Amino acid sequence: MGSREVLGQAARLASSGLLLQVLFRVITFVLNAFVLRFLSKEIVGIVNVRLTLLYSTTIFLAREAFRRACLSGGPQRDWSQTFNLLWLTVPLGVFWSLFLGWVWLRLLEVPDPNVVSHYGTGVVVFGLSAVVELLGEPFWVLAQAQMFVRLKVIAESLSVILKSVLTAFLVLWLPHWGLYIFSLAQLLYTTVLVLCYVIYFTKLLGSAESNKQQALPISRMTDLLPSVTRRRAFVNWNEAKLTWSFFKQSFLKQILTEGVYDIVNNLGSLVARLIFQPIEESFYIFFAKVLERGKDATLQKQEDVAVAATVLESLLKLALLTGLTITIFGFAYSQLALDIYGGAMLSSGSGPILLRSYCLYVLLLAINGVTECFTFAAMSKEEVDRYNFTMLALSSSFLGLSYLLTRWCGSVGFILANCFNMGVRITQSLWFIHRYYGRSPHRPLAGLYLSPALLGAFALSGGITSVSEVFLCCEQGWPARLAHIAVGAFCLGVTLGTAFLTETKLINFLRTQFGGSRLADKTS
């Protein structure tokens, strides 16, 4: 499969991921609004923060490193060894669910059982649901490696919809069950998700269609199960070592970023994560399939290197434009957004300053996502280890800086410390990209440069909307607020129009890849 075919598939995967993100956000928003009419906000808070954090942390620590390492393998690898390695996520998930469950029950404050009942059961079931989801890891990695776009869309959509239907039904008819409701719904979600992948591959391998797909590395379902033979090692030790390197990195990243994840994910970086999470996941697979890990760019197939450089440049440009738009307009509309969302209680205190700080963090988050997406796909195991050493040093400086800045300027200081952390990670990734393409004619870092006209449009928009906020927001009533919104809409239109006229290379890339991906989905 050529690099351009892989690029088209990655674009389709990113497009479907973006649609799924929108679907999940809408369903979650509507479901929370419905649930709050029947259950206490304390129960909803425990589910959305405490139990969801337990589940996501278990999943992240158990499988993230395996996914990165196993999606990086070449076409000639022994898939049976890859599957053996992936099955190790299950016992690892059992360990993390037991350990974190003990922390949640013994070290963290347990909610009042009169207010939030069945908390212990919720911890157990959410940990169990994480282990159940890990049972589908070999199927998921194989589907991603083969770019089975529709499978991911159907599996995740069906799982979320059934979870939401069960939650709504139980809340309506059995509200006194409390956390039992969300525990059962979460277990249903992971079970359906895994079953979708298992059923799909069962039918695919039993049909005539699978015989036509010579690229599929398995011929029967038992090939996906762990296997032991004397002819070869149980796992590919290069993949195993790479997994260990990525695990150390994932563990450090979890420590450095989990502190602000929930707040940032909810409002401050909603748009950035909505767009860039599916893009990062999909194009990591693209870079991992097109480039040979740890090999100099001049020693690889030059067409693949050129395509990868073009994609990286376009993604960097897209990340920069998205982040700058959120930062520039977020500064002038943070107070209004909080006023509409929560009234004067949120908009009159420190809330606007916090949200403006998050807007700056979003810009760095977007750029870092793209740079690390490429870097982790191209780094050798030794380079990943060196990166981990830097991350370890960074964790110490981050904790110290967080302490100092928090004492100096409160909650904003913690956000600024995270901005520093993200800035260091971006710098390290940019240096790697610069060295990687140093001896080639390609310059993908040109994606971080904007035309003077577009920079002027951003600066002018920032100035006009800031003045508008002073005079029209937020104590002048709704007519003034609507006028402030109209000013922002006009400035945003001018900025986007300038980008459309000046950033023609990016526009052509988006039209070719994401426009073409929708057409391919309709005709396939």
Side-chain angles (χ1 to χ4, degrees):
M1 185 182 295
S3 57
R4 296 190 183 278
E5 291 176 318
V6 177
L7 175 58
Q9 290 181 334
R12 288 196 292 275
L13 198 59
S15 300
S16 64
L18 181 56
L19 292 175
L20 284 174
Q21 285 285 338
V22 174
L23 173 65
F24 297 166
R25 296 290 180 180
V26 171
I27 290 177
T28 302
F29 179 81
V30 173
L31 188 62
N32 283 339
F34 172 78
V35 167
L36 282 171
R37 294 177 177 270
F38 298 90
L39 299 178
S40 68
K41 62 181 180 181
E42 288 79 12
I43 291 179
V44 177
I46 287 293
V47 173
N48 288 344
V49 178
R50 190 80 70 87
L51 296 182
T52 300
L53 181 60
L54 169 66
Y55 161 78
S56 62
T57 303
T58 301
I59 287 290
F60 182 85
L61 292 176
R63 77 181 181 193
E64 179 70 13
F66 290 85
R67 284 188 169 185
R68 286 192 179 275
C70 293
L71 285 172
S72 302
Q76 305 302 321
R77 64 173 159 185
D78 186 336
W79 271 95
S80 61
Q81 291 181 316
T82 299
F83 293 141
N84 288 343
L85 183 63
L86 286 168
W87 280 111
L88 295 178
T89 60
V90 178
L92 189 60
V94 171
F95 166 76
W96 282 117
S97 63
L98 290 174
F99 175 74
L100 293 174
W102 176 80
V103 171
W104 258 241
L105 290 173
R106 299 298 180 185
L107 300 185
L108 299 182
E109 182 181 358
V110 176
D112 185 349
N114 296 320
V115 179
V116 179
S117 58
H118 316 304
Y119 174 72
T121 302
V123 170
V124 172
V125 176
F126 269 75
L128 175 62
S129 70
V131 176
V132 170
E133 185 169 341
L134 292 171
L135 291 172
E137 203 59 21
F139 303 90
W140 186 92
V141 168
L142 180 59
Q144 291 292 98
Q146 299 298 316
M147 299 286 188
F148 290 163
V149 178
R150 287 187 177 182
L151 173 58
K152 179 179 180 180
V153 172
I154 293 173
E156 297 193 12
S157 300
L158 182 62
S159 303
V160 169
I161 290 171
L162 290 178
K163 172 186 175 182
S164 303
V165 170
L166 179 62
T167 302
F169 177 81
L170 293 178
V171 165
L172 190 61
W173 293 102
L174 299 167
H176 59 280
W177 278 21
L179 289 183
Y180 281 159
I181 296 172
F182 299 96
S183 300
L184 290 174
Q186 179 66 22
L187 192 58
L188 175 69
Y189 165 78
T190 56
T191 302
V192 171
L193 186 63
V194 173
L195 284 177
C196 284
Y197 282 91
V198 173
I199 293 172
Y200 177 85
F201 279 107
T202 301
K203 289 189 173 183
L204 179 63
L205 293 171
S207 67
E209 181 184 356
S210 63
N211 296 328
K212 301 176 183 177
Q213 297 181 3
Q214 299 299 324
L216 207 61
I218 60 174
S219 58
R220 54 186 184 274
M221 284 296 290
T222 53
D223 292 340
L224 283 156
L225 299 177
S227 60
V228 180
T229 65
R230 295 182 178 180
R231 293 182 291 104
R232 52 171 171 71
F234 183 70
V235 298
N236 182 320
W237 286 108
N238 289 330
E239 278 187 342
K241 292 175 182 177
L242 186 61
T243 301
W244 173 241
S245 296
F246 277 131
F247 174 78
K248 291 182 287 185
Q249 177 195 105
S250 300
F251 189 79
L252 289 169
K253 284 175 65 177
Q254 191 77 352
I255 293 174
L256 287 172
T257 60
E258 192 61 53
V260 296
Y261 173 80
D262 291 312
I263 303 173
V264 172
N265 188 54
N266 286 334
L267 188 56
S269 67
L270 177 62
V271 178
R273 292 195 64 84
L274 194 68
I275 296 173
F276 282 101
Q277 184 173 348
I279 288 179
E280 290 165 22
E281 291 176 353
S282 303
F283 283 95
Y284 172 80
I285 299 174
F286 163 74
F287 290 128
K289 288 174 77 72
V290 168
L291 301 175
E292 296 184 50
R293 181 179 294 278
K295 194 172 183 180
D296 190 273
T298 57
L299 302 178
Q300 301 189 43
K301 187 177 178 181
Q302 290 307 296
E303 180 186 358
D304 292 347
V305 172
V307 172
T310 300
V311 172
L312 178 58
E313 180 181 349
S314 299
L315 292 180
L316 284 173
K317 185 80 72 176
L318 181 61
L320 181 61
L321 289 176
T322 304
L324 273 177
T325 301
I326 293 172
T327 302
I328 296 297
F329 289 91
F331 267 69
Y333 288 87
S334 292
Q335 185 178 1
L336 178 60
L338 290 172
D339 190 67
I340 294 173
Y341 187 77
M345 180 181 67
L346 290 179
S347 63
S348 60
S350 60
I353 299 175
L354 283 172
L355 191 53
R356 290 184 184 111
S357 302
Y358 284 129
C359 290
L360 174 62
Y361 181 73
V362 165
L363 171 60
L364 299 174
L365 192 69
I367 296 174
N368 180 73
V370 174
T371 55
E372 287 192 346
C373 165
F374 175 88
T375 300
F376 296 152
M379 274 183 171
S380 65
K381 174 195 172 296
E382 292 73 23
E383 288 168 327
V384 173
D385 287 335
R386 286 197 294 270
Y387 179 90
N388 291 339
F389 181 79
T390 304
M391 289 278 286
L392 183 61
L394 180 61
S395 64
S396 302
S397 60
F398 168 74
L399 292 174
L401 188 63
S402 297
Y403 175 76
L404 293 175
L405 291 177
T406 302
R407 292 196 63 182
W408 177 45
C409 48
S411 300
V412 175
F414 188 66
I415 304 171
L416 295 177
N418 275 277
C419 289
F420 169 78
N421 161 39
M422 204 61 65
V424 173
R425 286 164 58 178
I426 291 172
T427 302
Q428 189 170 1
S429 296
L430 292 179
W431 175 242
F432 173 83
I433 296 170
H434 174 73
R435 287 190 295 108
Y436 188 86
Y437 281 103
R439 292 190 291 173
S440 76
H442 310 293
R443 295 294 177 264
L445 295 184
L448 294 176
Y449 296 100
L450 297 180
S451 66
L454 185 54
L455 287 174
F458 272 118
L460 191 61
S461 295
I464 292 174
T465 53
S466 295
V467 173
S468 173
E469 181 184 32
V470 172
F471 290 99
L472 299 176
C473 186
C474 288
E475 299 175 355
Q476 309 299 323
W478 271 106
R481 294 178 184 177
L482 292 175
H484 182 45
I485 293 173
V487 170
F490 174 78
C491 291
L492 179 61
V494 170
T495 303
L496 294 179
T498 306
F500 186 84
L501 295 174
T502 58
E503 302 297 339
T504 54
K505 190 174 181 179
L506 173 63
I507 300 301
N508 289 333
F509 172 81
L510 295 177
R511 279 177 172 173
T512 302
Q513 301 306 324
F514 293 96
S517 69
R518 289 194 297 270
L519 179 60
D521 286 338
K522 291 178 181 178
T523 57
S524 60

